[in-house]
Amino acid sequence: MRDPELETELLCYINGKRQVLPPNRAETTLLQYLREIGLTGTKLGCGEGGCGACTVMLSHYDSSAGKVVHRSANACLCPLYAVEGMQVITVEGLGNSRDGLHPVQARLAASHGSQCGFCTPGFVMSMYSLLRSQDEAPSEEEIEDALGGNLCRCTGYRPILDAFKTFAKVDPRAYTEEALSAARGNACQLLPSGGTVVASAASETVTTTGQTSTGPVCPSTGLPCGCGAGAAAWQKRRRLSMDLMRLQQRVGPRGVVPKVPTAEPIFPPELKLRRSKALCVPGEHVTWHRPVELQKLLDLKKQFPAARLVVGSTEVGIEMKYKDTKVPVVLTPTHVPELNQISITSEGVEVGAAVTLTNMMVALQAQIATRPKHQVSSFLAVVNQLRWFAGNQIRNVSSVGGNICTGSPISDLNPIWMACRAVFTALGAGTGSRTIKASEFFLGYRQVDLQPHEILYKITIPFTRKFEYVREFKQSPRREDDIAIVNAGMRVQLAPREEADGSAGWVIEEAEFAFGGVAAKAVVGKAVAAALVGQPLDQATLKAGLAAVRQDVVIGASAPGGKVEYRQSLAASFLFKFLTHAALMLEKDAPAGGAFIPDLPPTHRSAAKEYSRAHAHGVQFHASNPKVDDIVGQSYQHMSADLQVSGEAQYVDDLKLSADALSAVLVTSSRPHARLLSVDPTAALALPGVVGYYCAKDVPGSNIIGPVIFDEEVFATEIVTCVGQVIGVLVADNEVIARRASKLVAIEYEDLPAVMSCEEAIAAGSYHEYDGKIECGDVDTAMAACDHVIEGTYKVGGQEHFYLETQVCCVIPGEHDELTLFSSTQAPAKHQKYVAGVLGLPDHKVVSKSKRVGGGFGGKETRALFVHAAIAVPAYLLRRPVRISLDRDEDMQMTGQRHAFLANYKVGFSSRGMVQAVHIDLYNNAGNSLDLSGAVMDTAMLHSDCGYKVPHMRLVGHLCRTNQASNTAFRGFGGPQGLMFAEMWVDQISKTIGMPSVDVRSANMYTEGDLTHYGQPLEECKMQICWDKALANAGYAERAEKVAQFNAVNRWRKRGLAATPTKFGQCFTVKFLNQAGALAHIYVDGTVLLTHGGVEMGQGLHTKMAMIAAQALSVPLHKVYISETSTDKVPNASPTAASASSDLYGGAVLDACSQLAARLAPFREALGPDASFKAVVNAAYMERVDLCAHGFYKTPDVTGYGEGGNRPFNYYCYGAAVSEVELDTLTGDFQILRTDIVMDVGNPINPAIDIGQIEGAFVQGMGLFCLEELQWGDKQHGWIKPGQLFTRGPGTYKIPTSNDIPIDFRVSLLTDAPNARAVHSSKVRPRSVHTLQLWGSPPLFLGASVFFALKEAVYSARADAGHPGWFQLDSPATGERLRMLCADHITAPYAAHDIRCKISC
């Protein structure tokens, strides 16, 4: 008989609809369930709560507070049964493109904040959740915080922040006149004086001084209002509650009017009235218990001592998915009142163990706001640490008790609990309660002082006392939403004492220190405390404390996590910062009779400066199109933006397949180099739901593939050459079963020697065949005559693509051996070709389609091929649809990255800084197969001059064969690495001769008519123009002086200012690829269906092609539609890559539409100018005129590289950037204060899309050179399992967040700069002066300006430390490299001043 106290119905609401959850699904996540029921707007980006693509809003009724509580959460981690009794709102519940968008959706679309769109629903839901969770408009800080758990790889974040900040409390004075002008779409030129020249559409010229606008703010757009009525409307809007405001919202930005008024989903009355009952949901793998009484929870824990207590499942969920941890019993205390209470006592604050981190944070903030400052020092430390503890989605569901009991050695909070005298209370059935000091609770690696039957009941955080100071510290690879490298909690109690001479003095009466990330558990700094207690707060005590750190923090050379010297230095740096902080606090707090004067030089006070960041903002300058009737040249939003913001946009994993469809999982190698002795799938095949296992013996056609040469196996046969190489594929009824079965395939190996890096390959002589070499002049003779010669080795690490949509594809068999392929690929034609070859079919039997790609960046050009080929085998043999979607960790391990490069260089130059001769041997880490590594090396060598004229140059390329998964194309295609090496030797030249680097760059820069080192003449060379304009816009000279002044008075914070140019060749360097086709249909209703061979992956290609077609045919843009890219419409298409697709497909579209326009011209003339397009079309149709045209384009004049001739590129893109940074020299933490970019984009087809590409590329380039680091199991990283990629998910691999972009982000498009060699130029089409250039790759290198700005900051720090002159800084310039190379007295005990930190290269 069922217990009447147990809930009989597993109830929740989803988007206002009542749902009864299925039984026996305790291991299922909310994301899995949502996608099963067709709500595919919620995306799987990582599966570990690190990207935000799966964000939803959870709402529940808090009966004690009498209100509905709304919060964002990661659906990928949220257990399905955790939402029982709640309402779940997904992006589909807000609005849609047919009925009307919600204002959050509409503003993001209109602000160009969605490119590939895969991350977009997550951003929408994070912002929406913030609005619903508050009673008034949020601040800009709250908005940036709310978006901290969401990643975007495309946009650079600026347009997303701009869109959502229209919902913020706005101070109109924040807007300057230049921001107003840019917002109106005018072209602005910054004057050296700081004013602007604004060229309006009417060609009037107005000079401004950059003064602040004090006008009202528009209530519709959030921008400064010029209509005069904005002030009253703004005041009225501010008086409205947020709910009423949203219900009354009708008009989005730029006049977007929803077709049907949108309304917020109402919280279901049934859930308000429903009394929570206990749950017990048995399952085959997991049983879910949700008690509602404390005693019942204790009884269950006694009955199931191995049970895991779960609140948010942010730790257990990851363990179950990625570590295959078995959790047969789950107890969730979310409904036990005692564990969810926060109480204030006379001693401090008591927090129930199930309280979420967000709720604890809010409660402590309330105490900080109302209590005397001296009582809340601990609370402030906790709140400050929580700000950087994961994203909002994690904090909203994670419990404080869960974080503690995990016992993680890198927990951000545990060191603070240990330092601030916190006490934990444990409770157990039959044993009652007991208290444990936090400093004694952690016993070992993930071991805590709890008996199997006990639970953590509450945490007591004591108030602090006068002159008691507590601080938190954390250093991680990235500031926002990141795991600590080292963290710490520190506390001192200071007390006055009378000195021997009768004067007042102060001593350290109490001290507690705890360090995380330095051992298997958080370490108590006993030696440090002993060295400090009883001592005065002076330099001698500080010196003793730093020495004591070396006793408390001891890390072995091969310790997990690596970065040994850095971690030790961080622990000491934290102590240095803390004692400086305590001294400055005491200086302010000490009473008049006991004044304290810190024993600190004035320049050292910067050590105590806490992290703070101004709100990010940006300005974009471009020319408006003087021809108002033109479509080309206008900033139309992305054609799929409305679909993307509403979650309606379909990606491959969203496709609805037939009921007999199967899911596939790859069986891959776990060894980097080994002989396969046996592969036994017997146990896997015995699992119910498994349909079959397929390997090389099952391939109907050829098992050998390869994009350039056939050197890869679809399924490994005898030897595996990397971790992640495919051995077989399992297909099953669903993905869960397939993944479970894949772990049961038994594989025996015989290990063989592995080569993992360029240096290892050089030592072993392990290379792919390649004979690339470029030489001009007489290098050896010129080198011998040079005044100075430098030589050495530079390194640039690799970079993960981190497209938000992982590799995913499906194969659908049809009749007569027909196959339809759907793939997230940049190269549908390649998929057609290779799948046909593997199956032994002719190409015409295979149709490959791609509607849109959730980010590609080159990673989906060739490395998707083997995945698609593998699943095609079971699909073909079984005659059933098969789909596969790689998990994030699989994708990163097996599909390759940007090539790491090593350069052995020798550069000769004059005493005036003129470069005379360069010799470089370039090595790239190609991986286990050739893939595109040869072409990548070609591009690197072609760009190794950057923007500089080198009369004598020799470049020799080498492709290192290693046991990594084959590295591949990535935005820039080797160009950024070649460009970077040039800038590295320019920097070294500068420091060698004592000449400012900006002057060295200017002196050597190309000019019109110069020949490159491979003989191509520079035509329409705008490098100097871009360079001069960037320096002028940035006010470089004046700001350089201010940077020097800042550095002179700050020892521990340094600023750097640097400028870098770029020159990037536009074209495929293989001649035959420079061709394209398009197909245009005109229907009798006057609409146009356009198809071309290019793939839309967020770069706006379809939008630009539709704009070209609409203008060529003289029809409104909405009359043109592009459905998908398909090989049965346009055959043999080149990959969408090399930033060449706009040129290629724009030319083909223009050709097709020009044919159609010519056919329609007689009918236009006959019917007159007032005739509609529909009438013209019908007249032509009645006369049997063909209304379909195929267009073709081939890039003229290009010769390819290595194919004879000296024109590998059609033209060059030029640009320049100036960046200023501020560096914390004690930690390596930095901020980009401002970036000014100038790009030559010709006269753009769509300025907004081009600016979006520039900003996104810059941020991705900054990530490449300053943040993102791959760590492989190579000889440099002995703590990583051989061949494994350690950084294979957002938990360990860090791409930039919105917190990492420039605070002041300015982009200018060079105006009035047509490009005669680009499509849609004045030479191609007389009525237009617009040039069609795609801006994916060229701006990426400008992120190097941040690298060199950081290096300038380190130069200043090293000079202060007595280490002037040039130093070696490998890329990326991570916090580790920056901190260690600042080389002060704190790092000296741990590393030499010229340390070269370990790098996988």
Side-chain angles (χ1 to χ4, degrees):
M1 184 176 178
R2 187 172 181 86
D3 186 342
E5 293 301 312
L6 291 177
E7 190 62 69
T8 58
E9 190 176 50
L10 303 175
L11 176 65
C12 78
Y13 277 73
I14 300 178
N15 297 332
K17 295 181 180 180
R18 196 176 193 272
Q19 297 277 342
V20 177
L21 302 177
N24 192 24
R25 298 290 299 275
E27 72 276 15
T28 301
T29 65
L30 175 60
L31 177 62
Q32 290 170 323
Y33 180 72
L34 291 174
R35 295 184 65 80
E36 284 175 15
I37 63 175
L39 297 174
T40 56
T42 309
K43 306 300 184 188
L44 175 62
C46 68
E48 56 181 84
C51 73
C54 65
T55 302
V56 297
M57 186 178 80
L58 305 181
S59 304
H60 72 276
Y61 184 68
D62 185 344
S63 57
S64 62
K67 67 176 184 179
V68 178
V69 177
H70 307 288
R71 52 188 171 148
S72 59
N74 293 119
C76 72
L77 292 179
C78 181
L80 177 60
Y81 296 148
V83 303
E84 201 282 333
M86 297 184 184
Q87 170 151 256
V88 179
I89 302 296
T90 72
V91 69
E92 292 93 343
L94 304 191
N96 59 70
S97 60
R98 179 183 296 176
D99 300 325
L101 298 176
H102 188 278
V104 172
Q105 298 167 321
R107 294 187 190 186
L108 186 59
S111 298
H112 312 284
S114 180
Q115 289 187 17
C116 85
F118 198 82
C119 69
T120 301
F123 275 96
V124 168
M125 293 310 301
S126 289
M127 185 63 209
Y128 176 76
S129 300
L130 174 65
L131 294 176
R132 289 298 302 271
S133 67
Q134 301 198 163
D135 294 328
E136 61 180 22
S139 66
E140 291 191 26
E141 181 180 2
E142 288 170 326
I143 291 172
E144 291 189 6
D145 182 36
L147 302 181
N150 292 80
L151 298 179
C152 174
R153 197 54 153 163
C154 298
T155 64
Y157 298 101
R158 192 275 311 163
I160 299 174
L161 293 174
D162 280 2
F164 289 157
K165 285 180 180 179
T166 63
F167 292 98
K169 303 170 185 174
V170 177
D171 180 356
R173 291 173 299 176
Y175 293 90
T176 62
E177 288 295 335
E178 64 182 7
L180 279 169
S181 298
R184 296 182 189 121
N186 296 329
C188 301
Q189 281 190 315
L190 295 180
L191 298 175
S193 62
T196 61
V197 173
V198 182
S200 70
S203 299
E204 297 175 353
T205 300
V206 181
T207 302
T208 75
T209 60
Q211 295 297 310
T212 299
S213 168
T214 57
V217 173
C218 173
S220 296
T221 68
L223 295 173
C225 181
C227 68
W234 172 249
Q235 294 300 327
K236 179 179 180 180
R237 180 183 175 196
R238 289 196 66 181
R239 289 193 295 269
L240 295 172
S241 71
M242 285 301 294
D243 282 341
L244 183 59
M245 181 198 75
R246 285 189 295 270
L247 289 172
Q248 290 186 347
Q249 178 75 41
R250 291 295 177 266
V251 181
R254 307 191 187 209
V256 178
V257 182
K259 299 174 185 176
V260 177
T262 59
E264 311 303 332
I266 298 172
F267 189 78
E270 179 183 10
L271 297 183
K272 278 189 177 182
L273 301 173
R274 191 168 182 257
R275 183 177 70 88
S276 296
K277 292 185 177 182
L279 284 181
C280 177
V281 189
E284 180 182 355
H285 303 286
V286 180
T287 296
W288 181 272
H289 292 273
R290 188 190 72 189
V292 295
E293 297 174 355
L294 177 59
Q295 188 58 52
K296 183 61 175 177
L297 174 63
L298 297 176
D299 292 342
L300 285 168
K301 190 65 170 75
K302 186 175 182 178
Q303 181 182 356
F304 304 106
R308 300 289 292 272
L309 269 69
V310 169
V311 175
S313 195
T314 55
E315 182 71 27
V316 173
I318 292 174
E319 290 179 8
M320 293 174 68
K321 179 175 179 64
Y322 292 104
K323 299 179 182 179
D324 202 26
T325 301
K326 308 300 180 186
V327 184
V329 179
V330 168
L331 309 178
T332 179
T334 54
H335 287 55
V336 177
E338 295 89 338
L339 269 68
N340 288 276
Q341 293 177 347
I342 299 176
S343 305
I344 312 301
T345 72
S346 60
E347 301 297 321
V349 175
E350 295 181 348
V351 182
V355 170
T356 65
L357 297 175
T358 295
N359 287 343
M360 179 178 69
M361 189 176 182
V362 171
L364 294 181
Q365 286 171 329
Q367 294 300 305
I368 293 168
T370 57
R371 286 191 173 271
K373 185 180 69 173
H374 71 267
Q375 290 189 343
V376 296
S377 185
S378 292
F379 303 166
L380 192 59
V382 172
V383 168
N384 287 342
Q385 196 76 309
L386 282 173
R387 170 61 184 88
W388 310 112
F389 183 105
N392 255 13
Q393 299 95 319
I394 296 293
R395 294 195 298 265
N396 286 340
V397 299
S398 296
S399 68
V400 59
N403 181 261
I404 291 169
C405 292
T406 297
S408 171
I410 52 174
S411 164
D412 289 338
L413 294 178
N414 289 343
I416 302 177
W417 303 138
M418 297 165 71
C420 77
R421 299 179 292 119
V423 174
F424 301 154
T425 300
L427 197 59
T431 58
S433 66
R434 63 188 179 97
T435 58
I436 313 107
K437 292 181 179 179
S439 57
E440 299 173 356
F441 186 71
F442 304 100
L443 307 179
Y445 180 70
R446 296 188 180 269
Q447 296 176 353
V448 297
D449 187 10
L450 284 178
Q451 298 302 311
H453 72 289
E454 287 183 318
I455 66 167
L456 181 64
Y457 176 53
K458 64 181 179 182
I459 302 95
T460 302
I461 315 168
F463 295 125
T464 48
R465 300 154 291 181
K466 286 188 176 181
F467 314 122
E468 183 178 14
Y469 303 113
V470 180
R471 272 292 306 272
E472 82 299 337
F473 296 95
K474 173 181 178 178
Q475 185 61 34
S476 50
R478 182 181 69 198
R479 166 65 61 170
E480 187 83 66
D481 188 14
D482 199 359
I483 297 169
I485 298 169
V486 176
N487 51 34
M490 300 186 179
R491 180 184 69 87
V492 292
Q493 173 72 59
L494 302 175
R497 76 174 181 188
E498 186 175 335
E499 301 294 346
D501 60 1
S503 63
W506 291 82
V507 296
I508 300 172
E509 187 174 68
E510 298 176 16
E512 292 194 59
F513 305 91
F515 301 96
V518 297
K521 64 172 184 174
V523 171
V524 176
K526 294 180 180 179
V528 176
L532 301 186
V533 171
Q535 302 301 314
L537 194 56
D538 58 16
Q539 289 294 318
T541 301
L542 175 56
K543 184 177 180 180
L546 292 175
V549 170
R550 299 199 291 275
Q551 300 176 48
D552 286 326
V553 179
V554 179
I555 308 174
S558 60
K563 304 180 181 179
V564 173
E565 300 89 350
Y566 181 44
R567 288 154 70 187
Q568 292 170 319
S569 296
L570 281 174
S573 295
F574 289 163
L575 179 66
F576 184 90
K577 292 168 77 75
F578 175 65
L579 293 180
T580 304
H581 164 80
L584 297 181
M585 291 298 293
L586 183 60
E587 180 185 32
K588 291 193 300 183
D589 296 343
F596 175 77
I597 301 175
D599 182 15
L600 285 172
T603 59
H604 284 220
R605 288 175 172 249
S606 57
K609 182 179 177 181
E610 296 187 38
Y611 178 89
S612 64
R613 176 180 164 88
H615 306 308
H617 57 278
V619 185
Q620 304 81 45
F621 301 100
H622 63 84
S624 57
N625 185 1
K627 297 182 179 180
V628 294
D629 294 332
D630 276 3
I631 291 172
V632 168
Q634 308 296 343
S635 289
Y636 286 96
Q637 75 176 42
H638 195 291
M639 292 184 71
S640 293
D642 287 356
L643 297 175
Q644 291 167 188
V645 298
S646 61
E648 297 170 87
Q650 281 199 337
Y651 300 82
V652 176
D653 202 36
D654 302 334
L655 298 176
K656 295 180 180 179
L657 302 181
S658 57
D660 65 337
L662 300 172
S663 294
V665 170
L666 300 176
V667 176
T668 62
S669 168
S670 61
R671 309 294 175 85
H673 193 199
R675 179 171 285 105
L676 291 174
L677 300 181
S678 67
V679 180
D680 184 3
T682 304
L685 293 171
L687 196 68
V690 172
V691 175
Y693 171 82
Y694 300 86
C695 58
K697 65 180 179 60
D698 302 300
V699 174
S702 173
N703 190 46
I704 306 298
I705 60 172
V708 177
I709 63 171
F710 290 90
D711 64 343
E712 299 181 40
E713 292 182 306
V714 178
F715 300 108
T717 53
E718 297 180 358
I719 304 290
V720 290
T721 54
C722 72
V723 174
Q725 184 172 352
V726 179
I727 297 171
V729 60
L730 269 162
V731 289
D733 292 340
N734 59 54
E735 185 181 356
V736 172
I737 296 172
R739 291 200 174 280
R740 195 174 296 144
S742 68
K743 297 179 175 66
L744 300 177
V745 178
I747 305 174
E748 292 185 8
Y749 302 92
E750 178 187 330
D751 288 326
L752 300 171
V755 173
M756 293 302 301
S757 69
C758 289
E759 288 171 316
E760 293 175 35
I762 293 168
S766 179
Y767 300 104
H768 294 282
E769 187 174 339
Y770 178 77
D771 58 359
K773 181 179 180 180
I774 299 176
E775 187 166 7
C776 70
D778 186 344
V779 174
D780 296 331
T781 301
M783 194 80 72
C786 289
D787 297 333
H788 305 274
V789 175
I790 55 175
E791 56 185 316
T793 300
Y794 298 137
K795 295 180 181 180
V796 174
Q799 183 183 27
E800 165 59 29
H801 303 87
F802 214 98
Y803 28 69
L804 266 291
E805 178 198 30
T806 60
Q807 300 280 8
V808 55
C809 51
C810 71
V811 179
I812 302 176
E815 64 180 31
H816 202 221
D817 286 343
E818 293 176 357
L819 291 178
T820 302
L821 315 179
F822 293 91
S823 181
S824 179
T825 181
Q826 299 170 236
K830 286 183 180 288
H831 283 252
Q832 175 194 34
K833 174 182 176 180
Y834 288 101
V835 167
V838 168
L839 300 181
L841 297 174
D843 288 1
H844 66 236
K845 289 290 186 76
V846 179
V847 176
S848 181
K849 297 175 178 284
S850 183
K851 195 171 189 69
R852 62 176 56 83
V853 173
F857 316 112
K860 292 178 178 176
E861 181 178 347
T862 60
R863 299 320 297 164
L865 294 174
F866 71 92
V867 180
H868 216 157
I871 70 161
V873 173
Y876 176 76
L877 296 176
L878 295 171
R879 293 180 171 84
R880 294 174 65 176
V882 176
R883 175 160 52 195
I884 188 170
S885 178
L886 298 186
D887 273 349
R888 176 64 58 185
D889 62 326
E890 295 174 320
D891 190 294
M892 293 182 71
Q893 178 72 61
M894 69 171 62
T895 63
Q897 288 88 24
R898 184 189 297 277
H899 292 71
F901 265 71
L902 181 151
N904 290 329
Y905 67 94
K906 187 175 183 180
V907 179
F909 51 96
S910 73
S911 296
R912 295 183 297 109
M914 299 302 296
V915 181
Q916 300 297 326
V918 172
H919 172 94
I920 305 180
D921 278 286
L922 288 165
Y923 300 83
N924 72 21
N925 190 327
N928 69 330
S929 69
L930 181 62
D931 192 72
L932 302 176
S933 296
V936 167
M937 180 60 76
D938 293 345
T939 308
M941 293 195 298
L942 291 169
H943 288 83
S944 287
D945 56 342
C946 191
Y948 309 115
K949 174 66 176 176
V950 182
H952 307 278
M953 196 170 201
R954 181 192 302 128
L955 303 162
V956 183
H958 311 268
L959 313 182
C960 298
R961 184 191 296 270
T962 65
N963 294 112
Q964 291 184 15
S966 190
N967 289 312
T968 191
F970 197 148
R971 200 177 203 166
F973 204 71
Q977 295 95 318
L979 294 162
M980 187 62 168
F981 292 138
E983 291 300 328
M984 284 178 165
W985 47 253
V986 166
D987 169 69
Q988 192 170 354
I989 291 170
S990 164
K991 296 304 180 286
T992 300
I993 62 175
M995 182 177 178
S997 60
V998 69
D999 293 339
V1000 175
R1001 291 181 169 98
S1002 296
N1004 288 281
M1005 197 164 285
Y1006 277 122
T1007 58
E1008 178 73 18
D1010 281 343
L1011 294 181
T1012 65
H1013 58 294
Y1014 43 90
Q1016 180 162 347
L1018 298 184
E1019 303 159 347
E1020 299 187 46
C1021 178
K1022 300 183 179 70
M1023 170 157 281
Q1024 193 70 51
I1025 297 172
C1026 290
W1027 178 252
D1028 292 342
K1029 186 173 177 60
L1031 295 179
N1033 287 358
Y1036 185 91
E1038 179 183 354
R1039 286 171 59 202
E1041 291 181 7
K1042 291 181 178 180
V1043 166
Q1045 293 168 8
F1046 178 91
N1047 290 342
V1049 297
N1050 287 278
R1051 173 63 184 90
W1052 303 111
R1053 299 191 82 84
K1054 296 293 184 180
R1055 289 185 177 176
L1057 182 70
T1060 54
T1062 189
K1063 171 184 68 70
F1064 201 91
Q1066 296 291 98
C1067 217
F1068 284 104
T1069 54
V1070 178
K1071 182 179 177 179
F1072 78 85
L1073 292 174
N1074 294 289
Q1075 58 177 303
L1079 185 64
H1081 302 293
I1082 302 178
Y1083 295 96
V1084 292
D1085 67 346
T1087 60
V1088 180
L1089 179 64
L1090 182 65
T1091 306
H1092 59 90
V1095 174
E1096 176 59 58
M1097 49 189 172
Q1099 81 282 43
L1101 181 61
H1102 282 355
T1103 304
K1104 287 186 173 182
M1105 297 304 100
M1107 291 172 70
I1108 291 172
Q1111 180 142 324
L1113 295 171
S1114 299
V1115 299
L1117 182 59
H1118 72 269
K1119 293 286 188 180
V1120 181
Y1121 183 66
I1122 300 177
S1123 176
E1124 63 183 0
T1125 304
S1126 181
T1127 58
D1128 62 351
K1129 305 298 189 300
V1130 177
N1132 311 316
S1134 297
T1136 304
S1139 292
S1141 298
S1142 280
D1143 275 347
L1144 291 172
Y1145 295 110
V1149 167
L1150 190 60
D1151 180 34
C1153 293
S1154 296
Q1155 295 175 45
L1156 291 171
R1159 295 173 197 170
L1160 295 176
F1163 301 96
R1164 286 185 188 273
E1165 184 177 354
L1167 294 176
D1170 295 331
S1172 68
F1173 186 66
K1174 179 179 179 180
V1176 172
V1177 169
N1178 276 273
Y1181 174 73
M1182 297 303 292
E1183 292 297 323
R1184 297 182 296 177
V1185 171
D1186 185 5
L1187 297 177
C1188 173
H1190 172 257
F1192 183 77
Y1193 178 80
K1194 60 181 180 180
T1195 308
D1197 305 328
V1198 294
T1199 62
Y1201 169 67
E1203 302 176 49
N1206 63 350
R1207 187 178 283 277
F1209 299 118
N1210 186 26
Y1211 57 87
Y1212 296 93
C1213 300
Y1214 301 95
V1218 177
S1219 290
E1220 182 179 352
V1221 300
E1222 183 171 317
L1223 172 69
D1224 182 341
T1225 67
L1226 290 168
T1227 64
D1229 208 6
F1230 70 88
Q1231 296 186 60
I1232 309 172
L1233 302 180
R1234 176 173 162 181
T1235 291
D1236 293 78
I1237 296 174
V1238 174
M1239 286 298 301
D1240 164 31
V1241 302
N1243 291 339
I1245 293 291
N1246 187 313
I1249 286 178
D1250 286 343
I1251 287 171
Q1253 286 290 288
I1254 292 167
E1255 292 174 331
F1258 173 86
V1259 171
Q1260 196 173 73
M1262 182 274 292
L1264 164 63
F1265 296 122
C1266 304
L1267 181 63
E1268 302 174 41
E1269 183 169 28
L1270 296 166
Q1271 292 180 311
W1272 285 91
D1274 51 27
K1275 291 181 179 178
Q1276 291 261 315
H1277 302 86
W1279 53 275
I1280 303 174
K1281 191 175 180 180
Q1284 294 280 354
L1285 177 63
F1286 175 73
T1287 49
R1288 57 178 188 270
T1292 49
Y1293 186 81
K1294 302 300 171 180
I1295 70 170
T1297 70
S1298 58
N1299 191 70
D1300 299 304
I1301 69 173
I1303 294 171
D1304 187 350
F1305 201 176
R1306 307 183 182 201
V1307 177
S1308 297
L1309 305 186
L1310 202 62
T1311 59
D1312 193 25
N1315 178 357
R1317 296 199 60 81
V1319 172
H1320 226 275
S1321 71
S1322 55
K1323 290 186 178 181
V1324 176
R1325 182 172 171 77
R1327 67 168 288 197
S1328 172
V1329 295
H1330 294 277
T1331 55
L1332 200 163
Q1333 300 175 183
L1334 186 62
W1335 293 96
S1337 297
L1340 182 137
F1341 178 68
L1342 296 180
S1345 62
V1346 179
F1347 176 97
F1348 289 103
L1350 287 167
K1351 195 170 187 186
E1352 290 296 328
V1354 178
Y1355 276 125
S1356 178
R1358 289 174 66 86
D1360 287 353
H1363 306 296
W1366 180 83
F1367 64 92
Q1368 180 75 59
L1369 175 62
D1370 293 324
S1371 173
T1374 58
E1376 176 192 16
R1377 294 185 177 87
L1378 296 171
R1379 170 64 188 109
M1380 299 310 297
L1381 285 167
C1382 285
D1384 47 54
H1385 69 285
I1386 298 174
T1387 62
Y1390 307 108
H1393 70 87
D1394 58 352
I1395 180 175
R1396 195 165 191 177
C1397 297
K1398 295 177 180 178
I1399 183 173
S1400 289
C1401 182

